[in-house]
Amino acid sequence: MYTLPEIERFNKNVLSKYHIYNSVFITLPFDAIDNTGVLLPLFSEVCTTGFKNNLTPVEIVNSFSKKYLDSVSEEEKISLLFRFIQYVERQIVLFDAIEDAAFPIVNNMEGKASLRDVRDRADTKELQEELISFLDSFNIRTVLTAHPTQFYPGSVLGIITDLTDAVRENNLSKIKDLLAQLGKTPFIKKDKPSPFDEAVSLIWYLENVFYQTSGEMLQYIQKNIFNEKTITNSIINLGFWPGGDRDGNPFVTTQITLKVADRLRTAILKSYYSDIRKLKRKLTFSGIDGLISDIENKLYRSVFYSDGSIYITLSELKDKLNLVKSICIEKHQSLYLDEINELLNKVTIFGFHFASLDIRQNSKIHNKVIQIIFKYLEKNNVALTGYFDLSDEERINVLTNISGTISSDLFEDEMTKQTIDSIVAIKKIQENNGELGANRYIISNNESTLNVLETFALFSLCNWKNPSVDIVPLFESIDDLRQADTIMEQLYKNLQYAKHLKNRGNKQTIMLGFSDGTKDGGYLMANWGIYKAKQTITAVSRKYGIKVIFFDGRGGPPARGGGKTHKFYASLGTTIENQEIQLTVQGQTISSNFGTLDSCRYNLENLLSAGVSNEIFNKQENNLSDFEIKIIDELSEIGYQKYLSFKNHPKFIPYLEQMSTLNYYSKTNIGSRPSKRNTTANLDFNDLRAIPFVGSWSQMKQNVPGFFGVGSALKHFEDSNNWDKVQTLFDSSLFFRTLLENSMMSLAKSFFPLTQYMKEDKEFGEFWKIIFNEFQETKRLLLKIAGHKELMENYPDGKASIKMREDIVLPLLVIQQYALMKINEIKKGTESNELLTVYEKLVTRSLFGNTNASRNSA
């Protein structure tokens, strides 16, 4: 049977259905005062034609009011705009549900980069043994973070799930009821969530999506690649940051950390209990039924008894399930063996921890804590006198040889108490959930060898010799990336740290931050800086016999390392270690890429396939030549200098503060963490978090972090008659091609007519033109190098999805800019300030829908 192209499948199963169900939605009687649903399409049309006629957002809103509203006051007009926001938010949910329902139809679940494709390619090339050997030690780890870009209330999440099912079934009656329910259900949380609330929200995805999907994937690998042999390597791992990520979040306490770890353990035991009950209905055979009942009883007591005790150990659970498996094979003709194996595979993946809880703190905090601890020790230990007057080398010697038995009770400083208690908490979690429950300590803003050894010393001071914990430096800024290999070599040469690594299997995990790297050095330099850092760190690690594992701090959009991430991993070649693929997944990327069983399977298989492809199928093909490296070096340096001059422009910070939504992120209730690391009134660029930074550009539809400097870099080669060099690079390098294609996505999500009124602004007009000119040059040259007439021409379904989302959200964008323009008029004294608070609320409310609609906007 002929299969329609992706774009036709998208049009048939997404666009057409959206128009049908949206026509039902906007005619539902939600509002007793006036028919908002009828006015919204009219407003949307006025927005579209208004931008074609170069109108400002204020002129668009006023022209709509004049044409369709009967001499309403400003207050009445604002009231209608709020209702428009509520409608559009729900239209976005409807589109999400339809797109999720159509996911397995639009995307080829068994096609390229699927597990079936991996198996078939290995069979065709006779690489079956190499594939099995690789999968015996290779892992992918998705780490769920609580970075606040999309947290619907639980009631809305439930509606989304039910709506997706109803759309998949084409059940119009049920869809109508759910749309009516959606229209009457509040979207906004009244109170800011706690870190524990965020953890509970994400554990829903663990229980309802990752648990089933990961088990099925490992089952497929066991049956079709390992030929039914038992797999001891989990292959798929999950990480977890809510409750453990302390960096800049004072609300993450030791009590919260322990509470989240307990919740994770309870959640996985509950999942096992549910599966055991299903097995019990099938495994009614002699010799097995008693074993299953015993497991069921012990799991039940461990989950539902209030004393918190665990009545079955992980090893006991595995042993009893393996005994059930043996009896089933020997005496019962392997009946229901697949179901037994699937549960065993889930236990291999999830243990009693479900997801590994990472602890993270900033190096600057560690430094302050070390100072407080050492000042205390100096009073009681003459040998430590003058530590802060020592050279770095002498400090390193002290740090690697120090030991002690300090406790948090010895100190009054709250941060010192919490830091010490966090180390104690890791040990406690390992006792309850197993070592994988919490066995990594990540150091944000790692700038030196001392930063790592200060953290290492904290464990020794807490009397934890040979800690079963990986110390993970996070390199973020461009300068830190450039010296990362030197820092790691100093650590590898340190006798005590080398001993620690030997105890950890000679493995070193290193985290690299795309988000802050882009904020610091621009799109090209950040991505290329991380690539080069991986190369140099790989080389020095191999020199010292260390297996380095790279953990990428990625966000949703290309500006934060998002986009077609699997292509990056498939393109790395042999000069970058390929032991594991680890990356953070956050905000709406969790729900869009891993929110359903189909999308979760598709994206996990893509990541796994990327690792296999890079190591097995294209091992040598992706290595960059010296010539290619030289070209990318030059491009990234030109882009870096262009971005630096832009970032250092005197209007850069004022523009973000006065013309964007930056200051409104802190007013939303979608995340527990403050929008910046310090509490000072003045905005310091270095303390600004990546999410509000990237998100603010996205809200303005300018997406600067995803393209700025790219056009200037390419133009240099065009002007110097060396275009053939970058064209050859684009045609031959998957890494470079993926880098530019992701930048095209940032351009495709930009819409400068929205803010073109700014070019007339006396203070910021010239600054806006700098951004717009770079956008135009980047777009022109990316189309030229790709040989395209339109952006994302080679991803027609993705392009169509973006366009539809942008069309839906256009009224929100106009409303947001209308409110921002009114606020600026009030602050300039040209407008009454009576409605200032209302306009500010209008901006804040529009943040949610704009972010959710783009799915990977922050």
Side-chain angles (χ1 to χ4, degrees):
M1 182 179 176
Y2 172 70
T3 302
L4 294 172
E6 282 188 2
I7 184 60
E8 292 187 35
R9 299 199 300 272
F10 181 86
N11 289 337
K12 179 180 178 182
N13 295 279
V14 179
L15 291 189
S16 296
K17 285 189 176 181
Y18 174 75
H19 289 307
I20 292 170
Y21 297 140
N22 184 52
S23 66
V24 174
F25 174 67
I26 63 174
T27 57
L28 291 174
F30 297 130
D31 203 310
I33 301 171
D34 54 43
N35 201 339
T36 309
V38 172
L39 289 172
L40 179 58
L42 299 174
F43 180 61
S44 184
E45 178 61 28
V46 169
C47 292
T48 302
T49 56
F51 286 124
K52 289 179 181 178
N53 294 321
N54 297 317
L55 298 184
T56 70
V58 167
E59 289 170 338
I60 288 171
V61 172
N62 288 341
S63 66
F64 169 78
S65 177
K66 183 177 180 180
K67 187 173 182 179
Y68 294 107
L69 305 180
D70 186 18
S71 301
V72 297
S73 66
E74 182 66 13
E75 288 84 352
E76 290 172 315
K77 188 193 303 180
I78 292 172
S79 177
L80 179 61
L81 296 180
F82 273 116
R83 292 199 294 277
F84 281 166
I85 290 174
Q86 292 174 322
Y87 262 77
V88 173
E89 283 178 330
R90 286 152 180 80
Q91 286 177 316
I92 291 161
V93 168
L94 173 60
F95 189 79
D96 283 348
I98 293 170
E99 204 165 41
D100 286 344
F103 191 93
I105 301 171
V106 175
N107 298 277
N108 187 352
M109 301 293 290
E110 306 295 337
K112 189 175 181 180
S114 67
L115 278 175
R116 174 170 293 191
D117 177 57
V118 167
R119 183 203 64 185
D120 290 348
R121 290 173 72 188
D123 289 347
T124 301
K125 297 185 177 185
E126 297 184 350
L127 294 170
Q128 297 96 329
E129 292 304 315
E130 288 87 343
L131 177 59
I132 290 172
S133 176
F134 178 68
L135 292 176
D136 262 333
S137 59
F138 180 76
N139 291 89
I140 58 172
R141 181 192 291 233
T142 53
V143 181
L144 306 187
T145 79
H147 293 350
T149 53
Q150 187 190 68
F151 281 95
Y152 287 124
S155 55
V156 175
L157 284 174
I159 296 171
I160 293 172
T161 301
D162 293 342
L163 188 56
T164 301
D165 292 338
V167 170
R168 191 176 285 123
E169 299 163 3
N170 287 317
N171 189 332
L172 185 57
S173 175
K174 187 176 180 182
I175 289 169
K176 188 174 181 179
D177 288 344
L178 287 165
L179 289 175
Q181 181 185 353
L182 188 67
K184 295 177 179 294
T185 302
F187 267 45
I188 306 303
K189 298 176 181 179
K190 293 181 180 179
D191 301 313
K192 205 173 183 68
S194 70
F196 184 72
D197 294 331
E198 292 171 333
V200 171
S201 294
L202 292 191
I203 288 172
W204 184 92
Y205 290 99
L206 298 182
E207 293 174 310
N208 294 282
V209 184
F210 283 96
Y211 179 74
Q212 187 64 30
T213 302
S214 302
E216 289 175 354
M217 283 177 62
L218 202 60
Q219 179 84 340
Y220 181 92
I221 292 169
Q222 182 180 33
K223 291 188 67 166
N224 297 284
I225 296 176
F226 280 69
N227 299 316
E228 302 285 1
K229 293 178 183 177
T230 300
I231 302 176
T232 56
N233 179 33
S234 63
I235 299 179
I236 303 165
N237 296 318
L238 297 177
F240 206 75
W241 275 18
D245 183 9
R246 302 173 183 277
D247 181 17
N249 193 341
F251 307 111
V252 177
T253 64
T254 304
Q255 292 71 29
I256 289 288
T257 301
L258 292 170
K259 191 176 178 183
V260 170
D262 287 345
R263 184 63 173 253
L264 285 165
R265 185 186 65 251
T266 300
I268 190 57
L269 292 177
K270 192 181 296 182
S271 297
Y272 293 155
Y273 174 72
S274 177
D275 276 358
I276 281 291
R277 283 181 60 83
K278 293 172 186 174
L279 269 178
K280 187 179 180 182
R281 293 178 63 87
K282 297 178 179 180
L283 301 178
T284 53
F285 322 138
S286 175
I288 289 181
D289 53 349
L291 285 169
I292 293 294
S293 292
D294 184 48
I295 295 172
E296 178 196 24
N297 179 51
K298 289 181 176 179
L299 284 174
Y300 179 86
R301 293 165 68 194
S302 300
V303 171
F304 298 106
Y305 279 26
S306 60
D307 61 359
S309 299
I310 307 300
Y311 293 90
I312 186 169
T313 65
L314 180 60
S315 59
E316 182 185 358
L317 177 61
K318 286 181 178 179
D319 289 344
K320 289 196 173 183
L321 285 174
N322 276 311
L323 181 56
V324 167
K325 177 179 175 179
S326 297
I327 296 172
C328 182
I329 294 171
E330 294 169 7
K331 297 184 178 180
H332 302 290
Q333 296 77 48
S334 299
L335 189 58
Y336 298 126
L337 182 61
D338 282 352
E339 286 85 344
I340 299 170
N341 275 332
E342 186 169 342
L343 180 53
L344 272 166
N345 286 331
K346 288 174 179 174
V347 174
T348 297
I349 295 171
F350 301 116
F352 274 13
H353 62 281
F354 213 157
S356 298
L357 186 60
D358 289 342
I359 306 300
R360 184 171 78 129
Q361 185 55 281
N362 197 291
S363 64
K364 289 181 171 58
I365 297 296
H366 290 156
N367 187 260
K368 291 177 183 177
V369 169
I370 283 288
Q371 288 186 38
I372 291 170
I373 292 174
F374 275 28
K375 284 178 181 177
Y376 169 83
L377 293 175
E378 280 183 4
K379 294 178 181 177
N380 300 277
N381 187 339
V382 179
L384 278 174
T385 302
Y387 170 81
F388 298 104
D389 298 323
L390 299 176
S391 67
D392 284 358
E393 187 175 337
E394 290 170 326
R395 287 191 189 187
I396 286 172
N397 185 55
V398 171
L399 290 169
T400 51
N401 290 289
I402 199 167
S403 61
T405 314
I406 63 171
S407 70
S408 60
D409 297 336
L410 300 172
F411 304 94
E412 294 182 3
D413 178 70
E414 187 59 32
M415 188 58 70
T416 303
K417 285 177 173 290
Q418 288 289 337
T419 302
I420 293 170
D421 285 342
S422 69
I423 292 172
V424 177
I426 294 173
K427 188 179 286 190
K428 176 72 173 177
I429 293 168
Q430 289 192 4
E431 290 172 2
N432 293 335
N433 296 15
E435 184 187 315
L436 292 176
N439 67 344
R440 305 203 305 188
Y441 199 113
I442 300 165
I443 311 163
S444 299
N445 193 39
N446 197 100
E447 298 175 330
S448 67
T449 305
L450 274 172
N451 289 158
V452 177
L453 294 178
E454 283 175 348
T455 308
F456 184 53
L458 287 172
F459 285 84
S460 298
L461 286 167
C462 292
N463 196 30
W464 195 354
K465 297 178 176 63
N466 302 321
S468 49
V469 178
D470 297 325
I471 310 297
V472 182
L474 166 53
F475 299 108
E476 299 174 272
S477 73
I478 302 303
D479 288 341
D480 293 343
L481 289 168
R482 286 172 173 167
Q483 64 174 348
D485 61 322
T486 303
I487 291 172
M488 296 317 301
E489 183 163 26
Q490 289 176 335
L491 289 167
Y492 295 155
K493 290 165 70 174
N494 183 280
L495 294 179
Q496 290 301 317
Y497 194 78
K499 181 182 176 183
H500 166 69
L501 287 180
K502 187 175 181 180
N503 291 334
R504 302 299 296 156
N506 278 327
K507 288 185 177 181
Q508 171 68 56
T509 302
I510 295 171
M511 189 173 179
L512 303 160
F514 281 81
S515 301
D516 284 290
T518 303
K519 181 168 76 78
D520 182 48
Y523 181 73
L524 283 177
M525 182 56 83
N527 282 275
W528 183 233
I530 287 173
Y531 185 96
K532 289 179 71 177
K534 286 185 175 182
Q535 283 188 318
T536 56
I537 293 170
T538 295
V540 75
S541 298
R542 288 173 178 173
K543 174 183 174 182
Y544 289 91
I546 304 298
K547 292 181 179 179
V548 66
I549 296 165
F550 294 113
F551 173 26
D552 292 333
R554 295 181 180 272
R560 300 187 59 227
K564 305 289 183 181
T565 54
H566 62 281
K567 284 193 172 183
F568 271 110
Y569 293 115
S571 71
L572 296 181
T574 59
T575 59
I576 292 176
E577 203 65 79
N578 189 33
Q579 296 290 323
E580 295 189 19
I581 290 177
Q582 298 191 8
L583 72 162
T584 55
V585 187
Q586 52 196 257
Q588 69 272 69
T589 311
I590 297 174
S591 59
S592 61
N593 288 4
F594 301 94
T596 67
L597 295 173
D598 292 320
S599 63
C600 183
R601 176 193 150 198
Y602 180 84
N603 284 292
L604 286 179
E605 289 191 9
N606 265 255
L607 285 175
L608 186 58
S609 172
V612 172
S613 179
N614 185 45
E615 184 71 21
I616 305 296
F617 303 136
N618 305 315
K619 198 166 187 177
Q620 302 296 332
E621 295 175 16
N622 292 323
N623 287 342
L624 293 170
S625 67
D626 291 342
F627 170 78
E628 290 172 325
I629 289 172
K630 183 180 178 182
I631 298 300
I632 304 178
D633 265 336
E634 193 172 351
L635 284 164
S636 61
E637 184 61 33
I638 295 167
Y640 180 48
Q641 294 304 322
K642 178 70 175 179
Y643 179 77
L644 280 186
S645 67
F646 174 66
K647 189 176 76 170
N648 294 328
H649 193 288
K651 294 300 178 185
F652 185 88
I653 294 296
Y655 181 79
L656 281 174
E657 287 189 300
Q658 297 177 43
M659 306 302 282
S660 81
T661 59
L662 181 65
N663 293 327
Y664 297 88
Y665 274 84
S666 61
K667 298 178 181 180
T668 61
N669 286 328
I670 56 176
S672 70
R673 196 169 68 164
S675 60
K676 58 180 183 176
R677 286 184 170 88
N678 65 25
T679 56
T680 58
N682 294 331
L683 177 63
D684 186 325
F685 181 81
N686 294 321
D687 289 324
L688 180 60
R689 291 196 172 280
I691 285 175
F693 176 72
V694 174
S696 296
W697 293 110
S698 175
Q699 293 281 327
M700 288 193 290
K701 291 299 166 184
Q702 294 181 358
N703 288 325
V704 161
F707 72 81
F708 201 90
V710 175
S712 293
L714 292 173
K715 192 173 188 303
H716 170 79
F717 279 80
E718 183 184 55
D719 290 346
S720 59
N721 295 318
N722 284 310
W723 183 259
D724 59 316
K725 293 181 180 179
V726 290
Q727 187 65 63
T728 301
L729 177 64
F730 181 85
D731 294 337
S732 62
S733 168
L734 178 61
F735 168 78
F736 186 65
R737 191 162 59 252
T738 302
L739 190 65
L740 295 194
E741 284 182 348
N742 280 342
S743 187
M744 287 187 204
M745 185 187 295
S746 292
L747 296 179
K749 292 186 174 185
S750 298
F751 184 64
F752 276 84
L754 178 70
T755 57
Q756 67 182 347
Y757 71 89
M758 294 182 187
K759 70 181 178 182
E760 306 300 333
D761 189 271
K762 291 181 180 180
E763 183 177 358
F764 298 110
E766 291 304 314
F767 188 77
W768 184 90
K769 289 174 186 176
I770 291 172
I771 302 170
F772 182 60
N773 290 339
E774 183 67 14
F775 168 81
Q776 286 186 306
E777 277 297 271
T778 305
K779 180 179 179 180
R780 179 180 71 82
L781 292 168
L782 287 183
L783 290 176
K784 177 179 179 179
I785 203 168
H788 294 167
K789 293 182 179 179
E790 295 179 338
L791 294 169
M792 295 185 68
E793 194 175 292
N794 53 332
Y795 297 105
D797 56 319
K799 178 184 170 186
S801 177
I802 289 173
K803 184 183 184 306
M804 192 64 216
R805 289 179 179 278
E806 297 300 319
D807 287 346
I808 294 171
V809 84
L810 185 62
L812 282 192
L813 298 172
V814 172
I815 291 169
Q816 185 178 92
Q817 286 297 321
Y818 172 81
L820 286 170
M821 290 180 73
K822 287 290 188 179
I823 290 167
N824 281 331
E825 287 175 5
I826 290 171
K827 290 182 177 179
K828 291 175 181 176
T830 59
E831 187 91 8
S832 169
N833 65 358
E834 293 178 3
L835 294 174
L836 177 61
T837 303
V838 180
Y839 287 129
E840 289 179 335
K841 185 178 179 182
L842 204 57
V843 174
T844 304
R845 283 289 286 108
S846 63
L847 272 170
F848 298 93
N850 287 340
T851 301
N852 293 340
S854 298
R855 281 207 158 182
N856 67 349
S857 63

